[in-house]
C-alpha cells in the first residue's frame, strides 16, 4: 500500500452527508420573515403544492413531511387495509433500514421478495396471487418499489408499468419510494417527461418524493398521483408524527429545489460523479465492480486489508463485510476533484 | 363597534406561527458547510448533547427529533410496558391534539383525568391505584404532565415533585411534555435552578424539551433524566420516524438557542407580552379574563359578534365556541407595539 | 348483624360464573363425532350462519369467535379507518374492562363520553361534529353502544335509532356490543321483532352477539347487519386471534341456544330473577337501590360493614368502593330459591 | 386410474379436523356443574397450573388461552421490547399462517430465515449479530422455533439447546411454538424426560403448549419456563383477547389430557399412523416421499392428475401446487384401517 494522497474535501459516505444547496438555504432563510399560520396554511406551502401539480398533473395531492421513513410510513398507512401486507424487495429501505417503523405504525406484515438489484418483477407478484382470499394469510394489498433502488439500479418506465398493471389486476395499490427519485429522473432522461414516464404514466399511486438526498437540509413530500387514496392523508400525516408546524421552512426549500429543475440538474451531476468514480477505478486491479452505475453509487469489492485504512482516510460505508464489498456514494456537491483524489487514493492503497 | 385601527404586524394565533430567531437561523446557515456524517455522528450534535448535560446533569441522555408530537410519542414508546396505559389531563396535547398518534404508535390506552387548568393532582393518581394488578384494566404505567399546560398554567416545583413521588410509589414513570418548557422556566425564576427545580430535582424521568415554540425553525429534544430508561431510545427514535438524517441542522439551532440562555430570555419576553396583553385588556367591559396569565397565552371570553371581525383583522384561534372563549397567544417576537395595537383593536371592537 | 341463613347454591357474582345450559352442552357433545374440516367449513357452522340470517335478515353475515373482547375488537377492527377514533360511553366494556385491547389491536383512540347509566345520547355525538375535518384530532369514525349497558340499563329501539341516525349523518359506523343482547331482547318484548327493533331496524351496522353470558360454555358471534362492512372480516378474525379451528364446537352450541328461542327464554328468566332480587330487598332499610332493574343486575348501596361478610357468605363484586356500592347479578340458572335465600341473608346482615 | 375403494372414515386434512378425545369431552361435561368464578379463579384451573408445574418444574407459570395463534401472539407480546424483531424460520406458522396477527398485535417485524425443514440453525442467528446496536435495524429480540416444525420435522434436544445458547448470548429470548409439542415429545422418547430435554433443560423461555391438535375440543397453554418473563402475562392475555371467562371449560379438558400421559399416548398413535401411511405408500411408483416422517405428516409429490380426484374421495390439502406436492396428516383418532384404506386408494389412483 502506497502512501495516500491528500483526501478529498467531501466523503463518499452518503448523499445525506451533504449539506443543502445554497439556493435552498437561501430560500429557507428568506422564509423566516414574520408570522405565518402553522401546519401548511401559508403561501410557501401553497406554492409547493402547485409546483407538484406542475410535475405530476392537476390532481396530484401533495403532503410535506419531515423525512424519508416518515414519508414511507405515512404513504403506506393510507394504503393498507386491515389484514393487508406490504410487498417489496428484500433490499427495500422499508424492510431493512427503518427499524420496523412500518410494522409498528401499520401493524402490517412486510413481505419481502428476493432480488439481486433491488428491483422486483411482475412475476413475483403473480406468485402471490394464491394468497388472495385465504383467511390464514395476510392479503397482498400494497406493493412498494424503490426508484432508484437501494442497490443503485433504475427501473425502466416499462418495468414500472408492468408492475403497476399486475398489482392493479390483483387489486393492490402501488407505492414508489423515491428517496432518490431525482437520480432516477436524471438517469432516465432528465426532464419532466422522464419523471412522468415511470410515475403517473406508469400507474404509480403514491410517491415518496425525496428532498433531503436531492439537496435540501430536510424535507420530503408524499404525492398522491391517485388522489382518491389521499382521503385520510391529512389526518394520517399528523398521526404518524410527520406534520411540520412551521411548514413554510420545508415548503420554501422545495420551492427552491423545484425551480428551474434544480433537483434534476443536481442529480445529473451526482450521477455523473458516480460514473466518473466508476470509470476512474474500474481499471484498478483488486477493485471489482458489478458494472457501471445507473445513478450515484457503486458497490465495489476491495481487498480486505485496504478497506479500513481507506475509510479512515476518506469515509465510506461497508456494504457486505463477508464479501469485502463496500459502498461509495456521490452527492449533489461532489466535485470532479473529489472523485479524482478519491480514485487516486484507492489506486495507491490497492497497489 | 368602532372602526378598527391598523392591525399589529404579527398575529396572536400561536407561538408556532412565529419564525426562528435570527441567531438560530444564522447557526443553521453556518452548519451548512461541507459533509457531515448523518444521523447525529457530527460535532454539532455532540455539542447539543453536552449542552443538555449542562442543563440537566451529567447523566442526561438527549435525542434530537423533529417535532413535538414525535418527541412525545418517542418518549412514551420507551416508557410503556405491555398492557400499560398513559395517564394525563383531559386537556393534554397527547390526548387531544395529536390525532391519536400515541395510541397508534404505542397501542396503549391514554387515560385522561379531569382538570380545569391542564394540571393533574397526585390524588387523582391515587384513585387509580385500585387498577393495579387487575388483569381487566390497562395498568397505570406512565403519567404525562404538560409544563406549562395547554391552558397556560404552570406547575410549581413542589406540585411536580408530589406527582413524581406518587407516581413512583405506584411504579409509574413520569414524562413531562415541555413543548413550552421555556415559558415555564421563565415563569418560575428564569434560571438553571428554576429549570432543574421542576424537572430533575422533582423526579421527572423524561422531558420533551420544546424548541419550535421557543424560537427554532423546527426541532425538539427528548431528554432522559433517568438514563436507565433510554436503553431503547436510539432504536425507538428511528422506529417512530423521528431520526433526522442531516441532524446537524437541528443541533446547530439548539446550540444557538441554548447559548447564553437565549431560550429563557425569549420566553421571558413572550410571557411579558402575554401579561401586557392581559393588563391592556382586563379593564375592557365585555372582555372576561380567567385571571392574569402564568405564561404567554390568555383565554378571554368575548362578545360573540366581535370574534370573527377581530379574527379577520388579526388572526387568533377560537377556544370554546360554545362559551365565546378564544385564545390569544404571544410569541418570542411579539412586540409591545403589537400588543398595544391589538388591545386597541379589541377595545374598539367591543365598545 | 343476625346470623346468616344457609347460602344460595349459586353466587351472584356474574352471569359468566354460570355454566352452560344442558341443551347447549348436549349439542357440544354431539358435535364430537368424527372429522370435520376446520375453520368453519363444517355443517354446524353453516347452520349457525343460517340461523343468524333468520334472526337478522338474509344479508346478515356472521363470524363465530371465542369471547366478548375478541368479538368487539374484531368488529371494531373492520370498522375503523386510519386516524379514526371509536366513541363510546365512559362505562363501556371496550373502554374500561378490556385492558386496552382495542387500542392495541386497532391503534386507535377510544373516546369516552360521560354517562350515568351506560347509555350515550345523540346530542353527545353532535358535540363531536366540530372534530370532523380537523387534522389535529382523531376523527369520529365508529360509535359503540352496549345493549344492555354495563350498568344494567336498556336502550329503547327509538334511542338506538336516533343514535344511528346521528352517527350515519356524521359518516360514522355503529357497533352494538351485545354481550347481553339476550337480556335486552327479553326486556324489550322477548321476540324476534324486539331484537330487530333495536338492531337491524334501528340502523345498527355490526353486532357483537353474546353467547357466553346467555348460556354457552363459550362463544360469541360478530354479525354484520351491513354486509358491505364485512369485506375484510374473514381475514381480520384470524388476525385478532379469534378464528376457532374446531369451529363446530362453537357453532353447535349456538345452534342449541338459538333453537326455539332458548336464548330469550333464559334471559327472561335471568331478568325476572334480577327483578325478584330487587323486590325482595328494596324494603330493607340500609339497602339503597337506584330503581327497579331493566335486566339481570342491581347495583345497591349497602352499609359498609356488611359487604365483606356477605361476600364471604355468597360472593358478589364490589362496584364503587368509595360509595359502598356493589353489584348483584343473576344468571340463566339462578333459581327463585337462590334469590330468596340471598335476600334473606342480606336482610339478616343489614339488620 | 383404477376405481377407488370405499374411503376411510376420517380425512387426512389436518389434526385439527379431528374432534376431542372422549375422556376430554367427558371432563368438559363434568365441569359444567353450578357456578364457578370466571377468569381462572376456579379449582379446575388451579389443577391445570399444578399439572404444568409437574411437567416443567415448580416455577413454571401457566396461562390458558383459546387458540394457537393467540398463544403465540400472547407469548411474543410479553417477550418483545420496543424496536425488537422476532426471528423465525420462513415456514413458521407465526410468519406464514397467522394473517399478520403478530405484526398487528406486536407492531414488530417478523424476520424470517431460510429453511428446508422448518428448523433454524444457531449459525443463522449468529449472522444477525451485526444488527445489534445499529439504530436503523430492528433488534433481534426473540427467536421463535416450532417443535415439531410446520414441515413435520423434530429438533433434537441438542439442537434446541444450541439455539438457546446462541440466542441468550445475543440477549434474545426463546419461544417455542408447541402446537404439536405432543408429537415432538412422542417422537423424542415419549416421557417427561423427553419433554423436558428440549424445553426447560434446553433453555427455552416460553412454550405455546398445544392442546387442540393433541385431542382437545379447543384450548392451548402459554407456559413460562422462565417465570421472570411472565410479569405482564396476566394483563397481556386479556389484552390480546385470550382470556376465557368460563375458564374451567379449558382447564377441565387439559386436566383430562394431561392425566396418565394421555397427550403422549395419543401423539404416539398419531405419529405411528403417519409412519404407517409412509410405509404403505412409499413403494407406490409415482408417489415421491422426502423420507420417513418424524411425526404425523408426510408431504409426498403425486402425479398432478390424481390429486384432485383423491381429494374428492378423501380430503387433504395441497402443499406446493407448483410441484404437485401435497400434505397428508394423521390425527389422534386416525385408525390403522383409515390408513390402509387411504393407501389403497392412492395406489389405485396412481396406477
Amino acid at each position: 500500500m502506497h502512501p495516500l494522497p491528500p483526501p478529498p474535501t467531501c466523503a463518499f459516505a452518503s448523499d445525506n452527508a451533504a449539506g443543502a444547496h445554497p439556493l435552498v438555504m437561501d430560500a429557507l432563510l428568506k422564509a423566516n420573515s414574520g408570522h405565518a399560520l402553522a401546519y401548511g396554511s401559508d403561501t410557501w406551502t401553497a406554492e409547493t403544492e402547485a409546483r407538484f401539480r406542475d410535475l405530476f398533473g392537476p390532481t396530484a395531492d401533495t403532503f410535506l413531511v419531515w423525512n424519508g421513513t416518515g414519508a414511507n410510513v405515512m404513504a403506506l398507512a393510507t394504503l393498507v387495509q386491515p389484514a393487508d401486507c406490504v410487498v417489496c424487495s428484500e433490499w427495500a429501505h422499508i424492510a431493512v433500514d427503518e427499524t420496523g417503523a412500518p410494522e409498528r405504525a401499520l401493524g402490517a406484515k412486510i413481505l419481502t421478495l428476493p432480488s439481486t438489484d433491488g428491483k422486483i418483477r411482475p412475476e413475483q407478484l403473480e406468485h402471490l396471487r394464491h394468497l388472495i382470499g385465504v383467511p390464514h394469510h395476510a392479503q397482498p394489498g400494497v406493493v412498494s418499489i424503490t426508484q432508484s433502488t437501494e442497490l443503485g439500479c433504475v427501473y425502466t418506465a416499462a418495468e414500472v408499468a408492468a408492475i403497476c398493471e399486475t398489482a392493479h389486476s390483483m387489486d393492490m395499490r402501488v407505492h414508489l419510494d423515491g428517496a432518490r427519485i431525482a437520480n432516477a429522473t436524471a438517469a432516465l432522461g432528465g426532464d419532466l417527461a422522464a419523471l412522468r414516464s415511470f410515475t403517473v404514466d406508469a400507474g404509480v399511486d403514491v410517491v415518496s418524493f425525496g428532498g433531503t438526498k436531492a439537496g435540501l437540509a430536510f424535507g420530503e413530500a408524499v404525492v398522491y398521483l391517485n388522489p382518491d387514496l389521499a382521503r385520510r392523508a391529512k389526518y394520517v400525516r399528523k398521526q404518524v408524527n410527520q406534520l411540520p408546524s412551521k411548514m413554510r421552512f420545508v415548503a420554501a426549500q422545495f420551492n427552491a429545489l423545484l425551480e428551474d429543475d434544480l433537483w434534476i440538474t443536481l442529480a445529473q451531476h451526482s450521477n455523473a460523479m458516480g460514473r466518473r468514480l466508476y470509470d476512474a477505478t474500474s481499471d484498478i486491479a483488486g477493485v471489482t465492480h458489478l458494472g457501471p452505475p445507473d445513478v450515484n453509487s457503486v458497490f465495489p469489492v476491495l481487498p480486505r486489508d485496504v478497506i479500513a485504512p481507506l475509510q479512515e482516510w476518506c469515509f465510506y460505508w461497508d456494504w457486505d463485510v463477508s464479501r469485502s464489498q463496500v459502498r461509495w456514494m456521490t452527492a449533489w456537491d461532489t466535485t470532479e476533484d473529489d472523485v479524482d483524489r478519491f480514485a487516486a487514493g484507492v489506486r495507491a492503497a490497492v497497489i
Side-chain angles (χ1 to χ4, degrees), chain A residues 147-148 178-190 195 198 208-211 213-215 257 262-268 270-271 295-296:
Chain A
Q147 172 81 315
S148 58
R180 293 190 182 95
I181 196 171
N183 301 88
T185 302
L188 289 171
L195 171 67
F198 69 84
S208 294
F209 192 101
K213 290 167 176 168
L257 187 71
L262 175 60
W263 63 291
I264 298 178
T265 307
L266 295 181
Q268 284 169 326
S270 178
N271 288 359
V295 284
N296 66 323

Side-chain angles (χ1 to χ4, degrees), chain A residues 196-210:
Chain A
R196 290 188 175 183
S197 72
F198 69 84
T199 54
V200 65
D201 295 347
V204 168
D205 292 305
V206 188
V207 171
S208 294
F209 192 101

Side-chain angles (χ1 to χ4, degrees), chain A residues 14 16 67-70 72-73 88-103 110 112 118 146 148-152 177 179-180 213 299 317-319 327 329:
Chain A
S14 178
N16 63 23
N67 63 337
T69 296
N72 290 338
V73 165
C88 61
S89 129
E90 65 184 326
W91 293 99
H93 200 265
I94 60 167
V96 176
D97 298 301
E98 300 187 352
T99 322
E103 285 91 344
I110 308 297
T112 57
T146 310
S148 58
T149 76
E150 294 78 6
L151 288 162
D177 178 354
R180 293 190 182 95
K213 290 167 176 168
F299 297 79
W317 291 101
D318 291 321
W319 188 254
R327 186 186 74 175
M329 185 169 268

